[in-house]
Amino acid sequence: MVEYYLTIVLAPLAAAIVAGLAGKQIGRAGAHWVTIIGVGISCVLSLVVLRNMFWGGAPAENISVYTWAVTDGLHMEVGFLVDRLTALMMCVVTFVSLMVHIYTIGYMHEDPGYQRFFSYISLFTFAMLMLVMSNNFLQLFFGWEAVGLVSYLLIGFWFKRESAIFANLKAFLVNRVGDFGFILGIAGVVMMTGSLDYATVFGQADAIAGQSIQVLPGSPWNAMTVICILLFIGGMGKSAQAPLHVWLPDSMEGPTPISALIHAATMVTAGIFMVARMSPLFELSVTALGFVIIIGAITAFFMGLLGIVQNDIKRVVAYSTLSQLGYMTVALGASAYSAAIFHLMTHAFFKALLFLAAGSVIIAMHHEQDIRKMGGIRKYMPITYWTALVGSLALIGFPGSSGFFSKDLLIEAVKDSHWHEGTTFGDQVTYWIAYLSVLLGVFVTALYSFRMFFLVFHGEERMSDKEKSHLHETPAVVTVPLILLAIPSAIIGWFTVDAVLFEGFFGDAIYVTTAHDVLAHIRETFWHGPAALVAHIYAAPAFYLAALGVLTAWFLYLKRPDIPEAIQQKVQGLYNVLDRKYYFDDLYIKGFAAGGRNFSRFLWEKGDQLIIDGFLVNGTARAVGWMAGYLRHIQTGYLYTYAFAMIIGLTMLLGWLMWVG
């Protein structure tokens, strides 16, 4: 099976190398064909792996492929851990990537960097596969950094744009903050266990939980808590959790296919996958779980609010991604790891669909992205319209859609989680923050999603006559991926929810303590199948909040479009806060970045120029010159002067000796 797994990983890498290094020789068609075939091979083989594990009963495999180095008993290896969690992630990553590859043919057909772009996205797929298939922390970190590196190249793909250069630098630096915590967490694992291998580390989890680490002198912390929080800080960077979220909206400067690839199934979900993989560690630290759920709750609600004031079609979807990642993180903090991964899977399909649908509109509008300059596009682009509708309904959790099953059961898991049973004040505060955030977030999601949908596809036509005359449905290479993504967005929840959430699909891949197993509690007390959940939707508050959000968007942006502007005038202060994104960018750019530059300038001017150059270097030279200028007068050239100086010196020496003696 080693060759099998190597083929899955290396096929996109080989395709990326060919398209990148031989792009001129094989041409534009050759570049897209070789990368599509490479990713297609990975996708087909990943589906075979999932089929063998789900229907064929194939066991999980932990394979060491290559030992890179051994130092002081620490083995650094390349290896694969292929269990059901890995198999599901492999299928999601490769399928979405394949759709993006096909879509790119239509979206980037006029771009001079065509071959380079296909090389990058194929390389991105390789990096993500290395991340999800790793069986050790070293390979995990390699994949972690590789997706970050390639995302830097992709976000700044149009490198002649100043905004793109700023965006990829921003993404790179913010992720380095998270990655610093991540590598410290890995260092903590090595320090406590002496191993990088998942199985070895997980086997020693109880021992780690019983030890303490001196973070500061006199303040011991539980070792497991420290390790898990540090690892999650890395996840905060990759999965764009507040306050390390600021890079993700700006990454819209890259081409639209990248938005779908980064924001749907790959990079931003790496942090969610990592925490689920590390469930044997996180389950042993309630403090770390509390940190995770609070960060997720803040991101889910407050980042969603920002989507309401966005006018760029891609940024609305980007803030939607931030909010949905917050939902997944809340589920992780509630120990509902399977619910988080299930929502990750459904989200990958409908969010990739929404991004690609937005790209289809952008193509038709000749790269116009302001939703205020659109309207009434439905009759010109019927396929884009209906697929975007499917994606929007899945996003808000419309009954029966894939997003309905994953989001509603996630909310139910948070509602019945162990935090609700907590007896301390802190537990209750954590519970209500998390539950109210995911519940109210449903209304916010429906509001901004259908605000965008109505402004783009319905209402009066606000585009120019020239744009209107050229407005038509995009070609098949664009619409076919939309249709193929719309199908799982609509129906996959019906076929997978039982297995993934309630029938132990993940097996030993995810570990949950009995006290935290909220999904088992839901299975026993609440769950009666997908059809029953849809039939009893009237009992779920999330349904009414979603409906209220859609109706509010319809009334404000179709029936009474004058009201939003009036509301803005009434609450201008609040609008400014949302428009300035809670001033996080100002804090980081004008605070930390500018503050760092000013402090460096101070050290340069006062430390380097004044003290080192001025006092030590130049001052020493001036002192030597002054002393030399003074002492040279002693050198008269007359013998009697030197004899007189010797007599005076001897007299002083004899006097001192007599005094001492």
Side-chain angles (χ1 to χ4, degrees):
M1 291 301 290
V2 175
E3 293 80 7
Y4 204 80
Y5 299 137
L6 283 173
T7 302
I8 294 174
V9 170
L10 296 180
L13 176 62
I17 293 172
V18 172
L21 299 182
K24 292 183 178 179
Q25 287 74 25
I26 63 176
R28 296 164 72 88
H32 70 239
W33 275 114
V34 72
T35 52
I36 289 173
I37 291 171
V39 175
I41 291 171
S42 294
C43 183
V44 171
L45 294 180
S46 297
L47 290 170
V48 172
V49 171
L50 183 64
R51 184 206 64 183
N52 292 340
M53 288 192 169
F54 186 64
W55 286 284
E61 294 190 78
N62 190 354
I63 303 170
S64 178
V65 178
Y66 174 72
T67 300
W68 178 51
V70 179
T71 175
D72 197 24
L74 182 66
H75 288 256
M76 303 179 186
E77 298 178 338
V78 176
F80 300 129
L81 172 59
V82 183
D83 53 19
R84 291 187 173 187
L85 174 60
T86 304
L88 181 63
M89 290 295 299
M90 288 160 58
C91 292
V92 171
V93 169
T94 54
F95 179 74
V96 173
S97 178
L98 180 60
M99 296 300 102
V100 169
H101 275 71
I102 297 171
Y103 178 93
T104 299
I105 297 174
Y107 192 90
M108 301 289 290
H109 72 280
E110 295 179 350
D111 198 283
Y114 190 83
Q115 295 99 313
R116 177 167 57 94
F117 189 82
F118 274 98
S119 176
Y120 286 173
I121 57 177
S122 189
L123 185 61
F124 195 100
T125 307
F126 157 75
M128 194 64 192
L129 287 171
M130 287 292 288
L131 190 156
V132 301
M133 295 175 68
S134 63
N135 71 344
N136 62 84
F137 284 93
L138 180 66
Q139 188 174 324
L140 174 68
F141 188 72
F142 166 78
W144 196 268
E145 293 301 310
V147 294
L149 173 63
V150 185
S151 71
Y152 173 83
L153 299 174
L154 288 168
I155 295 169
F157 181 79
W158 288 320
F159 53 83
K160 293 183 179 180
R161 295 183 182 178
E162 290 291 335
S163 56
I165 297 172
F166 179 80
N168 71 352
L169 181 61
K170 187 177 184 180
F172 188 83
L173 292 177
V174 172
N175 273 276
R176 297 292 74 71
V177 175
D179 292 353
F180 181 67
F182 190 60
I183 198 169
L184 287 178
I186 295 174
V189 167
V190 174
M191 181 180 71
M192 301 305 297
T193 66
S195 176
L196 288 164
D197 181 68
Y198 289 165
T200 304
V201 173
F202 297 161
Q204 300 182 36
D206 290 327
I208 300 173
Q211 300 184 56
S212 299
I213 294 177
Q214 290 275 1
V215 180
L216 296 172
S219 61
W221 281 51
N222 179 267
M224 187 64 78
T225 297
V226 173
I227 289 171
C228 289
I229 289 177
L230 288 172
L231 290 174
F232 180 66
I233 289 172
M236 288 169 62
K238 276 291 180 288
S239 293
Q241 298 295 289
L244 301 180
H245 67 282
V246 294
W247 68 269
L248 192 142
D250 284 17
S251 67
M252 296 296 104
E253 291 295 333
T256 300
I258 295 314
S259 303
L261 196 59
I262 293 177
H263 297 173
T266 52
M267 181 174 171
V268 294
T269 59
I272 308 300
F273 165 79
M274 182 272 296
V275 176
R277 174 62 79 197
M278 302 299 151
S279 57
L281 305 182
F282 279 84
E283 279 297 284
L284 299 181
S285 175
V286 176
T287 304
L289 289 176
F291 181 73
V292 171
I293 199 170
I294 290 296
I295 293 295
I298 293 170
T299 306
F301 181 70
F302 288 100
M303 296 303 110
L305 288 176
L306 298 181
I308 300 173
V309 301
Q310 300 300 313
N311 296 311
D312 184 301
I313 188 172
K314 289 169 61 177
R315 286 182 180 265
V316 176
V317 187
Y319 280 105
S320 162
T321 301
L322 284 174
S323 180
Q324 298 307 303
L325 288 168
Y327 273 82
M328 300 174 206
T329 304
V330 169
L332 296 172
S335 294
Y337 304 98
S338 298
I341 297 298
F342 185 49
H343 193 53
L344 183 158
M345 178 191 70
T346 62
H347 175 265
F349 296 127
F350 64 72
K351 188 51 58 70
L353 171 60
L354 285 172
F355 270 116
L356 297 187
S360 179
V361 171
I362 293 170
I363 294 172
M365 291 289 296
H366 297 278
H367 297 280
E368 176 59 65
Q369 297 183 196
D370 193 334
I371 59 178
R372 295 169 298 182
K373 299 179 181 179
M374 301 178 187
I377 294 179
R378 174 183 57 174
K379 62 183 180 183
Y380 301 101
M381 306 179 70
I383 298 176
T384 301
Y385 170 78
W386 287 108
T387 53
L389 178 60
V390 170
S392 299
L393 292 174
L395 174 60
I396 70 169
F398 184 80
S401 68
S402 62
F404 164 75
F405 294 109
S406 61
K407 182 183 284 188
D408 275 50
L409 289 170
L410 187 156
I411 294 172
E412 192 66 27
V414 175
K415 178 185 175 183
D416 294 340
S417 68
H418 61 90
W419 294 105
H420 184 49
E421 304 299 326
T423 56
T424 67
F425 176 75
D427 289 346
Q428 290 299 308
V429 170
T430 300
Y431 169 75
W432 284 108
I433 289 175
Y435 182 55
L436 291 176
S437 293
V438 295
L439 197 59
L440 296 176
V442 173
F443 170 79
V444 175
T445 301
L447 177 58
Y448 67 66
S449 299
F450 275 84
R451 169 182 176 264
M452 179 187 72
F453 185 80
F454 290 142
L455 287 177
V456 172
F457 295 104
H458 290 268
E460 64 179 26
E461 299 175 357
R462 296 178 296 276
M463 68 286 290
S464 66
D465 292 334
K466 182 180 179 181
E467 291 173 332
K468 193 184 302 182
S469 64
H470 294 91
L471 198 57
H472 58 83
E473 187 62 88
T474 45
V477 289
V478 174
T479 56
V480 168
L482 295 181
I483 296 169
L484 293 177
L485 285 168
I487 295 171
S489 299
I491 66 173
I492 198 170
W494 289 93
F495 307 104
T496 57
V497 61
D498 261 318
V500 175
L501 295 188
F502 304 115
E503 295 180 0
F505 171 80
F506 293 114
D508 295 334
I510 289 176
Y511 171 77
V512 185
T513 61
T514 304
H516 294 172
D517 198 354
V518 62
L519 293 178
H521 174 71
I522 293 174
R523 183 180 63 245
E524 296 169 0
T525 61
F526 175 79
W527 182 248
H528 301 288
L533 184 63
V534 175
H536 292 81
I537 191 61
Y538 59 84
F543 170 73
Y544 298 100
L545 288 168
L548 180 61
V550 174
L551 288 173
T552 303
W554 170 80
F555 180 75
L556 292 179
Y557 299 101
L558 289 184
K559 300 299 292 183
R560 293 292 304 278
D562 58 303
I563 293 181
E565 187 175 350
I567 295 175
Q568 179 183 334
Q569 297 298 324
K570 294 288 185 182
V571 292
Q572 189 64 46
L574 176 61
Y575 177 84
N576 289 337
V577 171
L578 296 177
D579 188 52
R580 300 292 295 273
K581 310 165 200 172
Y582 305 117
Y583 299 97
F584 274 107
D585 281 339
D586 292 334
L587 174 63
Y588 294 152
I589 297 171
K590 298 180 182 179
F592 294 150
R597 290 195 303 271
N598 291 335
F599 183 65
S600 300
R601 181 176 292 276
F602 172 80
L603 292 178
W604 168 57
E605 292 179 347
K606 306 300 181 184
D608 188 45
Q609 289 190 319
L610 182 63
I611 298 176
I612 297 175
D613 286 344
F615 180 74
L616 295 178
V617 178
N618 296 332
T620 301
R622 285 192 295 270
V624 170
W626 179 82
M627 288 293 296
Y630 178 78
L631 293 175
R632 70 183 176 84
H633 295 291
I634 301 176
Q635 303 294 325
T636 62
Y638 295 111
L639 182 62
Y640 66 82
T641 303
Y642 303 144
F644 186 68
M646 292 175 61
I647 293 170
I648 294 175
L650 288 171
T651 302
M652 293 175 65
L653 179 61
L654 291 172
W656 181 77
L657 291 173
M658 292 177 63
W659 176 265
V660 175

